[in-house]
Amino acid sequence: MSGKITFTMIKPDAVADGHIGAILGKISEAGFKIKALKLTQLTVADAKKFYEVHSERPFYGELVDFMSSGPIVAAVLEKDNAVEDFRTTIGATNPAEAAEGTIRKLFARSIGENAVHGSDSDENALIEAQFHFSGREIF
Ligand code: ATP
Ligand code: MG
């Protein structure tokens, strides 16, 4: 059975563009409960580690620079089937291909600066939540 938890970041583009409130509203409207939430900034080392799985991809350097370029909002979200349902809520990686009404379609700038992150598995959701939050910050 799929888990109830996913992890998200509102990325530096969407924070800089003033979309924190609108994106949290979309997340709430889609039925997710906020279990943890903070405004923070990734160091270059944090961003490298977080996206290590992409270290061989040509866009890795650009991705690390972008993700550490300004504040982000990190959050742990709860809902039945959280990982899959949240990826539906955010839409395709490339906003040009994202479905109407999805967070990336509404708020992303480009395939690289695409407004939000969503975990891709239950296992990674837990790893990512623990990367950003201590036990006492998750409710
Ligand atoms: P995320 O992991 O951030 O939720 P995703 O799972 O939709 O996004 P991934 O394939 O995991 O997509 O890629 C991670 C991130 O790397 C993307 O969200 C995007 O910011 C960046 N990225 C992916 N493909 C490209 C590309 N072709 N050019 C530039 N950046 C890219
Ligand atoms: Mg991914």
Side-chain angles (χ1 to χ4, degrees):
M1 198 182 107
S2 343
K4 286 179 165 290
I5 294 294
T6 192
F7 171 80
T8 186
M9 287 183 284
I10 302 176
K11 296 186 179 184
D13 60 318
V15 172
D17 292 344
H19 297 317
I20 294 174
I23 290 174
L24 290 177
K26 281 275 166 198
I27 289 171
S28 177
E29 274 169 30
F32 294 88
K33 183 176 163 195
I34 293 175
K35 303 279 284 181
L37 184 69
K38 73 168 111 178
L39 185 68
T40 183
Q41 183 163 353
L42 300 180
T43 64
V44 169
D46 289 335
K48 279 185 175 163
K49 190 167 170 213
F50 193 88
Y51 282 109
E52 199 161 23
V53 61
H54 296 304
S55 61
E56 300 305 317
R57 309 280 286 276
F59 57 80
Y60 182 62
E62 190 186 323
L63 176 61
V64 166
D65 286 349
F66 166 62
M67 286 303 298
S68 58
S69 68
I72 57 131
V73 173
V76 178
L77 306 176
E78 182 181 74
K79 184 183 185 293
D80 286 342
N81 201 33
V83 165
E84 190 185 343
D85 284 5
F86 191 66
R87 289 184 69 92
T88 302
T89 299
I90 67 180
T93 307
N94 184 351
E97 291 163 11
E100 289 300 326
T102 59
I103 290 173
R104 282 172 168 161
K105 182 71 172 187
L106 288 166
F107 302 113
R109 292 178 180 169
S110 66
I111 188 169
E113 302 190 357
N114 61 0
V116 279
H117 162 80
S119 304
D120 60 11
S121 68
D122 292 342
E123 188 192 0
N124 283 338
L126 274 184
I127 292 168
E128 292 169 5
Q130 287 165 359
F131 183 88
H132 286 271
F133 295 100
S134 67
R136 64 182 292 182
E137 294 177 307
I138 303 176
F139 295 89

